[in-house]
Amino acid sequence: MNRNPAYLVLSDGTVFPGMAFGAETTVVGEVVFNTCLTGYQEVITDPSYHGQMVCMTTPHIGNTGINREDQESAGPQITALLVREISHVVSSWRAHRALPEWLQEHGVPGISDIDTRLLTRQIREHGVLHAALCTDSSKTPAALQALASQWPGLEGLDLVKEVTCSKPYFWETGTARDWSPGDQQGSPAGWVPTDTDDRPLVVAFDYGIKFNILRRLTSHGMRVQVVPAHTSAAEATALNPDGFFLSNGPGDPSALPDATETVRELIQGDTPIFGICLGHQIIARALGADTFKMKFGHHGGNQPVSSVAQGHVEITSQNHNYSVGFQELPANVEVTHWNLNDETVEGLRLTDKPVFCVQYHPEASPGPHDADALFAQFGADVRKHRLERRMQSGNSSED
Amino acid sequence: MPQRTDIETVLIIGAGPIVIGQACEFDYSGVQACKALKQAGYRIVLVNSNPATIMTDPEFADATYVEPLTCEFLRKIIDIERPDALLPTVGGQTALNLAVELAEAGILQEFCVELIGAGLEAMRIAEDREQFKQAITKYGLESPRSYISDSLVEARKHAKELDFPIFIRPSFTLGGSGAGTVFTPEEFDSKVSWGLSESPVHSVLVEESLIGWKEFELEVMRDGADNFVVVCSIENLDAMGVHTGDSITVAPAQTLTDKELQRLRNQARLVMRAVGVETGGSNVQFAVHPDTGRVVVIEMNPRVSRSSALASKATGFPIAKWAALVAVGYNLDELTNDITQRTVAAFEPSIDYVVVKIPRWAFEKFSGVSAELGPQMKSVGEAMSIGRTFKAALQKGIRSLEIGRAGWGPLENDHPETLSDAELAEVLHVPNRDRLYGVYSALGRGWEIGRICELTHFDPWFVDQLAQIHAFATSLTSLDDHTLRQAKRLGCSDLQIAELVNLNANRTGQEALTEANVRALRGAADIHPTFHQVDTCAAEFQAVTPYLYSSYDVGDEALPNDLPKIIILGGGPNRIGQGIEFDYCCVHASFALQELHYETIMVNCNPETVSTDYDTSSRLYFEPLTHEDVLHIVEREASTGKLAGVIVQFGGQTPLNLAADLEKSGVQILGTSPSSIDLAEDRFRFGSLLERLDIPAPAHGVAHNVEEALLVIEEIGYPVVVRPSYVLGGRAMAIVHEEAELQDYMEKAALVSPKHPVFVDQFLENAVEVDVDAICDGERVVIGGIMQHIEKAGVHSGDSACVLPPNDIKPEVMDILRRSTHVLGTALQVRGLMNIQYAIKDDKVFVIEVNPRASRTVPFVSKATGVPLAKIAAKVIAGESLESQGLTSEPPLEGFFVKEAVLPWKKFYGFDTLLGPEMRSTGEVMGHAKSFGHAFAKSQAQAGSALPSEGGILITVGDHDKVGAVELAREFHRLDFSLYATQGTARALTSAGIPVQEVRKAREDGCNVLDAMRAGSIGLIVNTPYTNRSQNDGTRIRALATRLSIPLITTMPAARAALDGIESMLDHEADVRSLQDYSAPVLV
Ligand SMILES: Nc1ncnc2c1ncn2[C@@H]1O[C@H](COP(=O)(O)OP(=O)(O)O)[C@@H](O)[C@H]1O
Ligand SMILES: Nc1ncnc2c1ncn2[C@@H]1O[C@H](COP(=O)(O)OP(=O)(O)O)[C@@H](O)[C@H]1O
Ligand SMILES: [Mg+2]
Ligand SMILES: [Mg+2]
């Protein structure tokens, strides 16, 4: 196979010559690395990576192709894929496409045969990097460096509006039985029939939501209505939900004052709220906490998180560049989870309300399923709330 | 939870001798466990019958027992040491089985010893396939459909429920022996009947065959807080049907999506729960259907295993160490990751490279035995390699094997005759050790990838990777910079590149490229390897442990420092003749040189070893032991600081063979110089040296063909010993009595080593063989130990039992041995260790060979004397005199130490179990006691053939042994044994007036010798080879003895030693004693 040469150039001028795959184009973006050993399809389609070039530290990427099930959104979200080796051959009974051709179709470029470990070490040392990638031989390394260093970056940008849905919709499918986390007795946890209508309703704010969150909510017995990120508290409340869910998403939480305001209003009420990743950061900000940009974030499937209440460790899937500071937390906020590697905040909860959130991804995809119980916990909160509401409305109608 | 304080003393059981399926990985895990628990403040009592282990070095435990791993002896040890807890999970299946026995015999309860790491119930469930199946079914997991059958009729009935092929497993056989696949109804009856007869309980499992399914392993850990991590996933290139120990394996798994991998992870967690493993490491094996993804659980091992050693080396996650610590109460999040020093043990390693493990087999030593691979493991060792890609790792792995391949290439490289297409298809289809190379040949013939996948059941992704290497290799005709770089990135060695260009571009003679040419071209093009860290985290965190591998990338991370340093070359993959003993010596060398404040740099590619543990040496390079790879490391390390040189004498023949070329490339070889090495190894030069020194050697000559050989023999007379030059472990060595045998041998010898002629030596019949280990520092030669072999010369020193000190060599002969050793050590200018083998015939001492390096017996002698020979030798090499180290005379000994070899007969049914000049043993044990008899008896118990104290003994010997047999029988009779004998022997005994029951020949009906053995009344067999006439009978007797595990002795001297042993044991039981209890001086 004859492939074009490609160049990835960092803003500091470091050139990574390699081979092109995917779309033939030039792109600029922020480079992050991801240490998951499996799950490139989930990573590529995760909207939280919007605007980012993702360097996979696992050398062989594309081996299992692309299949219809493992999508986290409708298509690729990343700006570019940076790998050591790309596979043009697909080995998987579930695959329907090879990764390079699929990326090409969706206009996403990639570079292979670069020293991904060196790139990763540079990110580890210097923090998130800006870079430009050219896969069509149209630009010189020098021109690419100029592009990369002039690029303003993602800080302070509202990326959510680029990935959120345009109008509300209902989500209908749960996790397929084969891929269910399974409980400690071996029955597929939270694998409940999804056809009954008598399910509590959760309104999920879409800041760039991963499909697997929707599948897990559904599998844990919730009916899910997804709403655009800019939906106001009043509009959301008018849908009469039994719970609010705040999703993951790309970029800087401080660039989302409106969403933060909406969440602040939602917290005033007594409806249960669960937030993941960006949703967690927004809740924290709504509660008055600060968020900061980490040196290179957490992107992988092996982050150890200690649960304060349970006293055990969950191996978690993570993908974030920003984190919540714990200095300014109000008195009714409790840190429930810590990262064991760098002691950053991984989970919060309100002591006086059914509101909790985590920085990591209990929906996994990719990664271990250790934290799936959080969905069960949310389901329980939501059902309890619905019961209380029903009892109240029952009482009030008797009055 | 922090560590338990209600436990003070922990008993650890080791794995015993090295056998196929249980190799030095358990020394590695045992050492980790001992170190970790000792550091945590526990008192450690260790029992292991294998003296060649690091774990049995006295400093690793508070009380170390090199004693038989049997209930009887363990009870004695427990009674003395009174441990609070027993950790059975780091000593392989041996330790697990023994722990179950101890529990079931009530011994643990009697002495209030708590099992930690794995409970009794968990061990039972994991071991019993039926219970295991029930346990996991409760958790909704699938196992292969299977039915237990006690008879052929029942088996036939069950077979109707299944489709062919069908998998048959005899119940309760060791290591899967007798298991196999039935492909057609026609072969069903015979295979099932055979399986039934193999099973001691006469039952077989008739099982759904999963042949061709993808096979995966997950290495997992759990702690008392239910924290659970997957350390590593391993994918087998060889699909289901080939034992994982015989499969080429790849980490991490390459052909699973995240959904599929997480499903295995969830299931592995449930398996641990179902089996009831509360803390520790386990290995769970899965089969996954390639077209549907259906998952079936194959088995789980609730202990550290060969695969967990591999996973530890592949990821930097020390499974055994942490398994030991969680067993005493720690949780994973309370333990620090040594490699990063800032993250915790509760995490799953991420790796940014590919690891390939390739087994190494020894079929060439067992001619006539089927070389097919199947559900029973047959490999004797393995090499692991690390590369940035699968392709590079595979090629590195192949050259790590030292099988004469410079990289991946065609089958024809080993098989001069061209195979037909049908034959090649067979090579691909029936698993065997050549299959990987068959794929190269098939690609060369233009076979489609699809067809290759169908034949091999290799996953298409892997075959595509192979096809990429093949396409490159076959188009390589010239070497521009870009192509050269590409070749290196594909993992090609310089030698391989030269060979490929020569082949593809028809370059021969003067035109032909050499390895050195390619190297020079690379230098000019500035193409050098980069070194990368194994850091557990894919570079997310800075690693502090320099554990390195090479690739051809951009960012080098070797960062050599400025300290004075020494490189130690390891022994590479285990093989018969070069195993754990050499790793032991390398590790000692590293420890000793660190004591002298050198930075030690270890190079090795054997994942089972202690030498490749990341904290054994200051720096570790996990790399092949080839000239090119070693040179790269030398160059990198020499770039800063002071590299004193490279030590080649501890890793066996592997590094020794590199010495001359390394020196030519300008590398400083420390210790005995390459020219001295050559002097000792070159038969001509050595022969004239002996003449000059007036030291006798067997008459000898050299021959390139039959005619020359006949001329030599004319002079020295039959019988002769013939062998190819420069080989280890008596490879292809034979004793030849007549011309026909010689013809036959010379035909085969051509294959062994085409460049080298054959040596012909006078065979010293009935000579006593002696091994001497000594150290020389240039001033002085000090003998470490003199060992007298039990078997006569002609049985390879590695297969012969031996006793230290000699029990019946005359003092004046001992003096000759000592004097010759001094003379030779001085003449050869040895610096460091040397080993000499002598043969004593009629009080005359002949030199058989001198090995200017550490020998297999160094650990044995060190354990017996308490003098760490390898350490002292390492310091000698670094310039410390023997005198300054306090070793100026032969160390004294207390009592007798018997080394016995352990042979892999059970794995190679059909091979006659006679001992000969070709080494076949895989491991050794040490028995020690005040008397020789007790020491010998212990060694037999340790080797798994405990001598009987009553009952029947069968004697059936060749004519020349009849006189000896009479003497022996008289003694056995005196000790109240009932004697059985075959016709000729019986006649001899009867005429000497010894009561004996005659049994018929094997081929005769009625109560023949085989029936007598099956009847269970025979507890020991003395059988020496007959003259050709009834050879076949002997073969059948020996085969059955192996199958029924009846102790079998095949030489008269060993039989006499056994008599001595039995007599001693009848007199009084052997007692046990820890190494620490010996008063022998422990130096350094
Ligand atoms: N049902 C089966 N069909 C085909 N091959 C099998 C089956 N079960 C096991 N095997 C093969 O036999 C090997 C050994 O079986 P295993 O149960 O792991 O025994 P061991 O305890 O010897 O490791 C496995 O690695 C696998 O390749
Ligand atoms: N001339 C000989 N006479 C009798 N036995 C011999 C003779 N040469 C070798 N042997 C036997 O063969 C074995 C292997 O030979 P050796 O030279 O030690 O080869 P290796 O290098 O394989 O150890 C020895 O241990 C010894 O028992
Ligand atoms: Mg197995
Ligand atoms: Mg020898």
Side-chain angles (χ1 to χ4, degrees):
Chain A
M1 187 167 321
N2 274 327
R3 284 163 52 199
N4 281 330
Y7 289 103
L8 175 78
V9 183
L10 306 184
S11 52
D12 68 4
T14 315
V15 180
F16 288 84
M19 306 295 282
F21 64 89
E24 298 183 4
T25 177
T26 300
V27 290
V28 192
E30 186 174 273
V31 186
V32 294
F33 65 82
N34 181 300
T35 62
C36 283
L37 294 175
T38 49
Y40 58 83
Q41 181 172 353
E42 289 88 333
V43 168
I44 293 169
T45 56
D46 178 349
S48 297
Y49 281 108
H50 190 80
Q52 291 176 324
M53 302 191 187
V54 180
C55 165
M56 298 298 295
T57 59
T58 292
H60 288 283
I61 297 294
N63 309 5
T64 50
I66 291 291
N67 64 56
R68 293 196 169 82
E69 280 177 303
D70 299 353
Q71 296 281 94
E72 287 304 324
S73 69
Q77 298 284 351
I78 59 174
T79 301
L81 185 62
L82 320 174
V83 304
R84 180 64 171 77
E85 284 260 321
I86 185 77
S87 180
H88 293 264
V89 161
V90 173
S91 163
S92 169
W93 64 95
R94 300 196 296 133
H96 71 291
R97 300 302 301 273
L99 175 59
E101 62 182 42
W102 179 78
L103 285 177
Q104 180 167 31
E105 221 160 81
H106 287 85
V108 177
I111 182 170
S112 70
D113 296 275
I114 61 168
D115 188 347
T116 46
R117 183 169 169 89
L118 178 63
L119 181 56
T120 303
R121 288 199 292 127
Q122 298 208 339
I123 296 170
R124 181 181 80 205
E125 246 133 68
H126 306 299
V128 176
L129 298 167
H130 293 179
L133 169 68
C134 172
T135 53
D136 58 5
S137 311
S138 65
K139 299 210 169 45
T140 62
L144 291 170
Q145 191 201 345
L147 274 179
S149 48
Q150 283 152 24
W151 186 63
L154 300 173
E155 217 127 336
L157 279 193
D158 176 359
L159 297 174
V160 167
K161 62 178 191 293
E162 296 178 26
V163 294
T164 186
C165 57
S166 51
K167 52 180 194 293
Y169 65 95
F170 281 94
W171 179 269
E172 295 298 347
T173 51
T175 308
R177 195 185 165 100
D178 273 349
W179 316 131
S180 291
D183 66 12
Q184 314 228 315
Q185 267 60 52
S187 23
W191 195 76
V192 286
T194 53
D195 47 2
T196 142
D197 275 336
D198 188 32
R199 287 175 292 156
L201 177 72
V202 167
V203 162
F205 281 77
D206 176 10
Y207 305 130
I209 198 162
K210 282 169 71 186
F211 285 172
N212 213 45
I213 292 178
L214 298 170
R215 295 184 197 111
R216 294 317 297 148
L217 289 168
T218 308
S219 286
H220 279 277
M222 291 166 260
R223 212 163 102 83
V224 186
Q225 185 171 14
V226 186
V227 299
H230 52 73
T231 307
S232 71
E235 284 166 331
T237 310
L239 298 171
N240 199 24
D242 303 300
F244 292 110
F245 176 80
L246 308 177
S247 86
N248 64 299
D252 184 352
S254 69
L256 308 169
D258 296 350
T260 309
E261 192 43 46
T262 302
V263 170
R264 192 171 293 132
E265 282 174 47
L266 294 179
I267 295 175
Q268 310 283 300
D270 54 4
T271 309
I273 303 177
F274 177 25
I276 289 178
C277 199
L278 183 60
H280 154 88
Q281 294 161 1
I282 293 173
I283 289 175
R285 292 186 71 87
L287 291 170
D290 211 4
T291 53
F292 62 94
K293 185 154 187 167
M294 304 163 81
K295 194 164 176 194
F296 53 88
H298 297 154
H299 308 274
N302 64 350
Q303 295 279 334
V305 166
S306 143
S307 152
V308 176
Q310 262 107 24
H312 74 156
V313 181
E314 289 164 355
I315 305 300
T316 67
S317 179
Q318 302 210 2
N319 172 27
H320 61 106
N321 281 324
Y322 294 84
S323 185
V324 172
F326 54 85
Q327 284 84 3
E328 303 89 354
L329 294 176
N332 65 334
V333 179
E334 191 177 270
V335 176
T336 55
H337 296 84
W338 296 99
N339 188 303
L340 286 174
N341 286 344
D342 60 7
E343 275 130 35
T344 51
V345 173
E346 289 286 359
L348 297 172
R349 99 183 167 93
L350 288 190
T351 49
D352 50 359
K353 283 188 183 198
V355 174
F356 69 97
C357 52
V358 287
Q359 180 62 71
Y360 56 94
H361 288 265
E363 82 283 7
S365 204
H369 298 163
D370 288 7
D372 189 65
L374 292 175
F375 288 101
Q377 187 188 330
F378 182 53
D381 285 354
V382 166
R383 273 185 283 275
K384 181 161 169 249
H385 180 64
R386 181 173 68 159
L387 196 66
E388 283 165 4
R389 288 207 316 170
R390 280 186 181 167
M391 278 162 62
Q392 266 170 16
S393 61
N395 288 344
S396 56
S397 65
E398 263 166 42
D399 281 346
Chain B
M1 204 174 74
Q3 76 182 81
R4 288 175 59 170
T5 50
D6 57 333
I7 301 176
E8 264 172 39
T9 301
V10 178
L11 171 64
I12 294 178
I13 303 181
I18 305 297
V19 294
I20 288 177
Q22 229 168 247
C24 22
E25 62 267 17
F26 297 108
D27 189 24
Y28 162 63
S29 55
V31 166
Q32 280 202 343
C34 290
K35 274 205 292 199
L37 294 182
K38 206 167 177 201
Q39 207 168 24
Y42 296 98
R43 184 170 166 271
I44 308 297
V45 177
L46 170 69
V47 191
N48 193 355
S49 54
N50 186 347
T53 48
I54 294 290
M55 72 191 294
T56 52
D57 274 353
E59 60 267 32
F60 286 94
D62 297 279
T64 307
Y65 289 86
V66 180
E67 298 286 358
L69 295 170
T70 62
C71 260
E72 185 197 340
F73 280 93
L74 261 291
R75 190 180 185 286
K76 290 182 193 198
I77 294 166
I78 291 173
D79 191 15
I80 297 171
E81 299 291 343
R82 301 299 170 120
D84 306 300
L86 163 58
L87 180 68
T89 53
V90 295
Q93 197 60 38
T94 301
L96 225 49
N97 291 349
L98 187 54
V100 170
E101 267 180 64
L102 287 169
E104 285 175 348
I107 295 171
L108 297 185
Q109 206 179 5
E110 180 187 347
F111 293 96
C112 297
V113 185
E114 180 189 343
L115 275 171
I116 56 173
L120 181 59
E121 224 13 59
M123 294 191 277
R124 280 193 186 131
I125 293 175
E127 195 40 27
D128 182 324
R129 293 195 187 274
E130 202 48 32
Q131 282 195 45
F132 178 68
K133 185 173 172 166
Q134 282 169 14
I136 66 166
T137 308
K138 271 196 221 128
Y139 284 80
L141 304 177
E142 253 194 274
S143 35
R145 283 181 295 141
S146 64
Y147 309 90
I148 289 272
S149 312
D150 295 334
S151 67
L152 184 58
V153 181
E154 209 186 328
R156 281 201 204 114
K157 195 181 79 206
H158 291 315
K160 291 210 180 73
E161 314 274 324
L162 301 168
D163 297 323
F164 280 91
I166 289 172
F167 191 64
I168 306 285
R169 281 180 195 270
S171 311
F172 294 101
T173 58
L174 209 88
S177 73
T181 310
V182 183
F183 289 93
T184 60
E186 290 72 53
E187 51 181 18
F188 184 81
D189 284 10
S190 69
K191 285 204 175 161
V192 170
S193 305
W194 192 63
L196 285 169
S197 73
E198 277 294 286
S199 164
V201 294
H202 203 75
S203 86
V204 294
L205 207 59
V206 177
E207 186 169 295
E208 169 188 20
S209 167
L210 308 177
I211 237 165
W213 290 36
K214 291 158 169 266
E215 186 163 5
F216 294 93
E217 293 169 83
L218 255 50
E219 297 307 318
V220 297
M221 276 209 71
R222 185 182 178 188
D223 68 17
D226 200 16
N227 296 321
F228 170 87
V229 295
V230 173
V231 178
C232 191
S233 64
I234 303 176
E235 176 159 7
N236 288 21
L237 176 62
D238 297 275
M240 281 290 290
V242 178
H243 196 279
T244 51
D246 275 353
S247 295
I248 297 168
T249 61
V250 181
Q254 294 295 328
T255 67
L256 288 179
T257 63
D258 184 64
K259 300 269 180 295
E260 292 144 22
L261 191 81
Q262 297 309 332
R263 173 163 59 167
L264 297 188
R265 186 182 186 275
N266 293 337
Q267 293 202 1
R269 186 173 202 157
L270 287 176
V271 169
M272 264 194 133
R273 190 177 301 273
V275 170
V277 180
E278 273 150 25
T279 65
S282 291
N283 154 273
V284 188
Q285 290 166 31
F286 295 98
V288 176
H289 195 286
D291 302 327
T292 64
R294 187 181 144 208
V295 176
V296 171
V297 181
I298 303 303
E299 69 155 353
M300 88 96 76
N301 294 304
R303 54 170 170 85
V304 301
S305 62
R306 181 178 46 262
S307 300
S308 66
L310 183 74
S312 297
K313 299 294 161 67
T315 60
F317 187 111
I319 296 178
K321 171 179 178 175
W322 288 341
L325 290 173
V326 298
V328 293
Y330 281 104
N331 290 338
L332 287 171
D333 53 326
E334 294 165 342
L335 304 171
T336 308
N337 180 344
D338 304 329
I339 292 208
T340 62
Q341 300 266 319
R342 55 176 286 203
T343 56
V344 292
F347 80 112
E348 302 195 341
S350 177
I351 65 184
D352 55 3
Y353 45 82
V354 177
V355 172
V356 173
K357 172 214 82 177
I358 314 180
R360 187 178 150 126
W361 293 274
F363 290 116
E364 69 279 1
K365 286 180 167 276
F366 300 91
S367 57
V369 166
S370 156
E372 261 181 47
L373 304 177
Q376 188 191 355
M377 179 169 164
K378 299 208 172 106
S379 65
V380 294
E382 60 195 17
M384 180 183 110
S385 59
I386 310 178
R388 289 306 301 278
T389 65
F390 168 71
K391 291 168 287 220
L394 180 81
Q395 296 230 77
K396 257 191 182 180
I398 290 170
R399 65 177 188 269
S400 298
L401 284 176
E402 297 172 52
I403 50 171
R405 288 181 177 273
W408 186 51
L411 195 61
E412 287 77 13
N413 286 5
D414 308 319
H415 296 259
E417 69 280 21
T418 314
L419 301 181
S420 69
D421 277 5
E423 284 165 337
L424 181 58
E426 186 75 4
V427 167
L428 296 192
H429 188 56
V430 181
N432 65 80
R433 69 162 169 192
D434 295 327
R435 180 149 88 142
L436 181 63
Y437 314 104
V439 172
Y440 192 103
S441 303
L443 288 165
R445 294 184 193 190
W447 293 13
E448 299 274 315
I449 288 185
R451 177 164 177 218
I452 294 171
C453 294
E454 221 167 85
L455 284 166
T456 54
H457 295 302
F458 288 177
D459 186 277
W461 184 82
F462 288 111
V463 180
D464 175 66
Q465 295 285 309
L466 294 173
Q468 290 176 35
I469 306 178
H470 181 265
F472 180 86
T474 46
S475 64
L476 189 65
T477 48
S478 64
L479 295 174
D480 58 81
D481 291 4
H482 175 72
T483 313
L484 196 50
R485 184 176 292 278
Q486 248 186 316
K488 296 313 280 184
R489 280 168 72 92
L490 278 173
C492 297
S493 63
D494 288 349
L495 179 60
Q496 180 187 15
I497 293 170
E499 285 172 354
L500 285 169
V501 173
N502 292 342
L503 181 75
N504 298 338
N506 259 322
R507 293 167 73 144
T508 52
Q510 290 283 305
E511 288 273 274
L513 280 181
T514 62
E515 176 178 359
N517 296 147
V518 177
R519 193 178 157 69
L521 282 172
R522 269 200 304 114
D526 203 16
I527 300 171
H528 301 289
T530 46
F531 292 95
H532 305 273
Q533 282 187 325
V534 170
D535 61 6
T536 73
C537 61
E540 184 171 355
F541 304 99
Q542 171 96 50
V544 295
T545 309
Y547 172 7
L548 301 154
Y549 68 95
S550 73
S551 96
Y552 284 79
D553 263 292
V554 184
D556 185 276
E557 305 163 64
L559 299 176
N561 54 33
D562 290 340
L563 303 170
K565 48 193 159 187
I566 290 179
I567 294 178
I568 301 163
L569 301 185
N574 274 11
R575 65 209 78 170
I576 288 176
Q578 187 172 308
I580 188 169
E581 300 84 358
F582 296 98
D583 199 64
Y584 170 96
C585 292
C586 291
V587 170
H588 271 243
S590 180
F591 290 165
L593 296 171
Q594 286 177 62
E595 283 168 19
L596 296 184
H597 306 292
Y598 279 99
E599 198 180 49
T600 58
I601 298 158
M602 184 69 68
V603 186
N604 202 358
C605 55
N606 179 349
E608 302 166 351
T609 54
V610 178
S611 69
T612 53
D613 197 352
Y614 59 76
D615 62 4
T616 293
S617 298
S618 322
R619 296 163 72 74
L620 167 64
Y621 285 86
F622 211 105
E623 288 283 287
L625 288 154
T626 70
H627 179 68
E628 176 185 343
D629 295 288
V630 171
L631 214 48
H632 287 152
I633 295 164
V634 170
E635 281 167 0
R636 193 72 190 90
E637 285 293 339
S639 65
T640 73
K642 180 167 179 336
L643 176 63
V646 176
I647 297 186
V648 297
Q649 63 173 258
F650 294 111
Q653 205 62 29
T654 297
L656 211 64
N657 290 347
L658 298 175
D661 283 348
L662 285 175
E663 190 181 53
K664 265 185 227 137
S665 301
V667 177
Q668 176 71 44
I669 302 295
L670 300 177
T672 310
S673 72
S675 76
S676 287
I677 295 171
D678 187 68
L679 178 57
E681 296 206 324
D682 183 314
R683 294 245 151 191
F684 282 116
R685 296 185 57 199
F686 187 60
S688 20
L689 176 73
L690 288 179
E691 255 167 57
R692 189 156 55 75
L693 299 175
D694 201 19
I695 295 179
H700 59 275
V702 64
H704 290 84
N705 51 43
V706 179
E707 292 69 43
E708 288 182 16
L710 286 173
L711 281 178
V712 174
I713 295 170
E714 212 162 278
E715 229 161 83
I716 64 184
Y718 287 109
V720 291
V721 184
V722 284
R723 71 172 97 197
S725 45
Y726 271 101
V727 290
L728 183 77
R731 174 78 204 96
M733 190 158 163
I735 297 166
V736 166
H737 300 84
E738 55 184 37
E739 190 173 333
E741 272 175 36
L742 182 77
Q743 298 270 7
D744 195 45
Y745 178 83
M746 292 299 282
E747 260 164 50
K748 287 190 208 128
L751 282 179
V752 178
S753 176
K755 279 185 224 144
H756 299 293
V758 164
F759 295 124
V760 182
D761 287 22
Q762 163 203 10
F763 175 63
L764 300 168
E765 275 180 296
N766 277 320
V768 171
E769 188 167 347
V770 170
D771 253 272
V772 177
D773 283 314
I775 307 181
C776 323
D777 64 359
E779 304 252 310
R780 202 185 288 272
V781 179
V782 177
I783 290 176
I786 300 178
M787 290 146 276
Q788 177 187 359
H789 290 205
I790 308 289
E791 283 81 8
K792 289 271 138 60
V795 171
H796 194 277
S797 52
D799 284 359
S800 175
C802 68
V803 56
L804 171 70
N807 62 341
D808 62 357
I809 296 181
K810 294 181 190 157
E812 55 273 30
V813 176
M814 290 292 279
D815 285 345
I816 302 177
L817 290 170
R818 293 195 174 102
R819 220 174 318 121
S820 302
T821 303
H822 281 90
V823 170
L824 281 166
T826 313
L828 287 169
Q829 298 188 314
V830 170
R831 295 287 179 285
L833 281 163
M834 81 167 165
N835 163 268
I836 308 180
Q837 283 154 37
Y838 295 100
I840 308 168
K841 193 172 164 67
D842 306 328
D843 292 347
K844 189 168 171 193
V845 175
F846 297 82
V847 172
I848 293 184
E849 67 163 348
V850 175
N851 293 308
R853 55 163 167 80
S855 72
R856 244 184 321 277
T857 41
V858 164
F860 168 70
V861 175
S862 300
K863 289 284 142 73
T865 57
V867 176
L869 296 180
K871 272 191 169 178
I872 294 170
K875 290 184 180 174
V876 162
I877 291 169
E880 306 268 296
S881 70
L882 282 167
E883 188 174 10
S884 72
Q885 299 187 62
L887 183 69
T888 49
S889 61
E890 201 176 324
L893 287 150
E894 252 195 277
F896 289 91
F897 296 80
V898 173
K899 185 206 86 172
E900 178 60 290
V902 175
L903 289 132
W905 305 135
K906 275 194 185 286
K907 302 281 177 171
F908 298 101
Y909 275 144
F911 187 83
D912 199 354
T913 64
L914 290 171
L915 302 174
E918 167 136 21
M919 179 172 167
R920 298 195 174 85
S921 67
T922 54
E924 77 220 49
V925 291
M926 175 173 102
H928 57 103
K930 283 201 193 72
S931 73
F932 168 74
H934 279 115
F936 185 80
K938 273 190 184 177
S939 75
Q940 300 306 296
Q942 286 164 326
S945 38
L947 299 171
S949 53
E950 56 183 7
I953 294 178
L954 169 68
I955 305 181
T956 167
V957 297
D959 287 340
H960 47 280
D961 291 326
K962 293 269 159 41
V963 176
V966 168
E967 270 170 54
L968 196 65
R970 204 186 308 280
E971 296 302 306
F972 281 135
H973 173 63
R974 183 173 57 80
L975 297 174
D976 278 342
F977 284 90
S978 7
L979 299 177
Y980 298 78
T982 47
Q983 204 180 44
T985 313
R987 229 177 271 154
L989 300 192
T990 310
S991 57
I994 303 165
V996 59
Q997 187 175 332
E998 184 181 325
V999 289
R1000 290 181 207 196
K1001 294 240 162 65
R1003 55 181 178 280
E1004 291 170 19
D1005 284 340
C1007 180
N1008 69 26
V1009 59
L1010 303 182
D1011 297 324
M1013 287 165 67
R1014 285 200 197 94
S1017 40
I1018 290 171
L1020 176 70
I1021 300 172
V1022 177
N1023 167 237
T1024 63
Y1026 312 142
T1027 43
N1028 286 339
R1029 185 166 36 83
S1030 46
Q1031 203 55 277
N1032 190 31
D1033 252 42
T1035 312
R1036 288 176 68 184
I1037 291 169
R1038 292 188 287 272
L1040 187 66
T1042 305
R1043 187 171 297 178
L1044 297 176
S1045 306
I1046 302 175
L1048 167 70
I1049 291 176
T1050 59
T1051 68
M1052 290 311 283
R1056 276 187 293 274
L1059 170 67
D1060 207 341
I1062 289 171
E1063 210 172 350
S1064 306
M1065 297 297 276
L1066 286 175
D1067 184 59
H1068 64 270
E1069 273 186 32
D1071 53 6
V1072 294
R1073 193 167 172 192
S1074 71
L1075 294 184
Q1076 287 80 357
D1077 207 23
Y1078 277 84
S1079 52
V1082 178
L1083 295 171
V1084 187

